[in-house]
Amino acid sequence: MPDVGEGLTEAEIVTWLVTPGDTVEVNQIVVEIETAKSLVELPSPFAGEVIELHAEPGETVDVGRPIISVATAGGPADAPTAPAVAAEAAEAAETVATENVDEPKLLVGYGAKETTGRRRRRGAAPAAAPAAVSPAVTPAAPSAPSGPVRTKPPVRKLAKTLGVDLTSVVPSGPGGVVTRADVVAASEAAPTLPPAPAVAPETDAGEIRIPIKGVRKHTAAAMVSSAFTAPHVSEFVTLDVTATMDLRSRLQARREFADVRLSPLALVAKAFLRAVERTPSANSRWDEAAQEIVQMREINLGIAAATPRGLVVPNIRSAQRLGLAELAAAIGDLASTARAGRTTPEQMAHGTVTISNFGVFGVDSGTPILNPGETAILGVGTINRRPWVVGEGDDERIEPRWVTTLALSFDHRVMDGQQGSELLADTAAFLRDPALAAL
């Protein structure tokens, strides 16, 4: 399992895109993994034949552990060697110094951290003496496999649904691969086992236990760290945003926005960015080790996005430099990428301030928790029609207006109450009267 540059220690295998016996090229995508932050596609650093997959879909694997073996055509001279992670006996049998032997190459990534201890490959036993690696795969006899079952993830899923034990299935595919037809035949020839439940089994107390992993595990750790490290202060303001909604309608009819979805969030983001420029302490972070407040020149605006895999916060680099149309397009791109589960670790790094739009769920307000390492986060409630007092004196009256509630949380170590209040008040002022943003 490679170190994908996030400082993570493990990842979950989601889907294998190859099977034993397949031929792969350098940089061909072979597996999808879910890290604590996103879904990542891993390429093969070697060209050759896939010999073995060392992890099953759904299995969590430590960084540095082998997950796939690839036999190269010309031996180790054709590709960079992988870090040593096998047991000492297996390492002696598959040493990178061996010449003129087609040996499996283990995909452990580019520059994966080296561990001081050594781990035996999954399913391998300690060997008393080195064993040569066969340069070719000999087709298995028509009998049930004794080692790891070779098959595709969809076939494994079918076997699980039909209650078929794959270790008892006689493979008919090339290289001893169990095919869909093999599973169906085994299912018809023997009594089926009850299918595995689609969710975690209930306990005697009627509980359902769900493993904490992937994005949920990372989010939980980040929120606990933030909540119990940065002293949060939250402030709220309810305001009339009718002028902003009218501006949105006018702008949406213009040619510059013909191919852009101008959402209310884009206008809120523009107002918030302008307010952050007026309160630069909001675009800072607390450096505990150096006992310094580090202020960033560029505003990298994070947009919290709810996805089927959990909460992710990709950010828009130097967002204050973008025009409204560019900002709206960038927000739309981030949202669609996040929903597809394709947000990269780099897109979630180096954020400086964040917006959380819980209004899309019909919620009026909330208390957002800071993204770790940041000083301010703006929560946006639903924008709806409400009765509102307008006018003054004899002209005072109640009219239906577009109204929302903004919630700002900030790190009180970095910002005083006055600075936090000014940040929120400026954001609200720009939304009440968008023309003020030009001042």
Side-chain angles (χ1 to χ4, degrees), residues 181-266:
D182 297 335
V183 173
V184 173
S187 173
E188 294 174 348
T192 59
L193 299 174
V199 297
E202 293 190 8
T203 66
D204 293 339
E207 299 173 342
I208 296 178
R209 292 184 171 269
I210 302 172
I212 301 171
K213 56 185 180 180
V215 174
R216 169 56 54 197
K217 184 175 181 180
H218 170 76
T219 300
M223 293 299 96
V224 169
S225 174
S226 176
F228 292 96
T229 300
H232 285 54
V233 174
S234 296
E235 296 183 340
F236 307 86
V237 60
T238 300
L239 63 148
D240 177 0
V241 293
T242 302
T244 291
M245 298 301 286
D246 290 344
L247 174 63
R248 172 178 176 253
S249 297
R250 295 197 304 272
L251 291 176
Q252 192 69 73
R254 293 179 63 87
R255 183 176 58 186
E256 306 95 284
F257 294 88
D259 299 323
V260 178
R261 181 180 179 273
L262 183 58
S263 66
L265 178 61

Side-chain angles (χ1 to χ4, degrees), residues 344-367:
T344 65
E346 179 62 22
Q347 288 175 310
M348 291 186 285
H350 313 299
T352 60
V353 294
T354 295
I355 291 180
S356 180
N357 183 21
F358 35 68
V360 295
F361 304 109
V363 176
D364 289 335
S365 187
T367 306

Side-chain angles (χ1 to χ4, degrees), residues 18-203:
V18 296
T19 59
D22 288 351
T23 299
V24 296
E25 303 295 333
V26 174
N27 290 330
Q28 177 181 334
I29 302 300
V30 295
V31 65
E32 288 183 341
I33 65 170
E34 183 181 6
T35 70
K37 296 182 179 180
S38 62
L39 200 65
V40 179
E41 295 178 333
L42 295 185
S44 171
F46 310 108
E49 180 185 352
V50 177
I51 297 301
E52 185 178 359
L53 306 180
H54 299 280
E56 303 288 341
E59 183 177 350
T60 299
V61 180
D62 292 337
V63 168
R65 172 183 153 185
I67 59 175
I68 184 173
S69 295
V70 178
T72 58
D78 288 345
T81 59
V85 292
E88 290 184 5
E91 186 175 314
E94 298 178 350
T95 175
V96 295
T98 303
E99 297 182 356
N100 300 323
V101 176
D102 289 345
E103 61 175 346
K105 302 298 182 182
L106 303 177
L107 175 57
V108 293
Y110 315 98
K113 63 180 182 180
E114 295 186 6
T115 56
T116 53
R118 301 185 184 275
R119 299 179 182 175
R120 187 165 64 251
R121 201 168 59 227
R122 187 169 165 267
V133 179
S134 174
V137 177
T138 302
S143 61
S146 59
V149 177
R150 297 178 176 180
T151 188
K152 296 181 179 180
V155 177
R156 291 185 186 278
K157 183 177 179 180
L158 176 64
K160 187 175 182 180
T161 301
L162 298 178
V164 174
D165 181 3
L166 284 174
T167 60
S168 65
V169 177
V170 177
S172 64
V177 174
V178 175
T179 67
R180 183 183 183 87
D182 297 335
V183 173
V184 173
S187 173
E188 294 174 348
T192 59
L193 299 174
V199 297
E202 293 190 8
T203 66

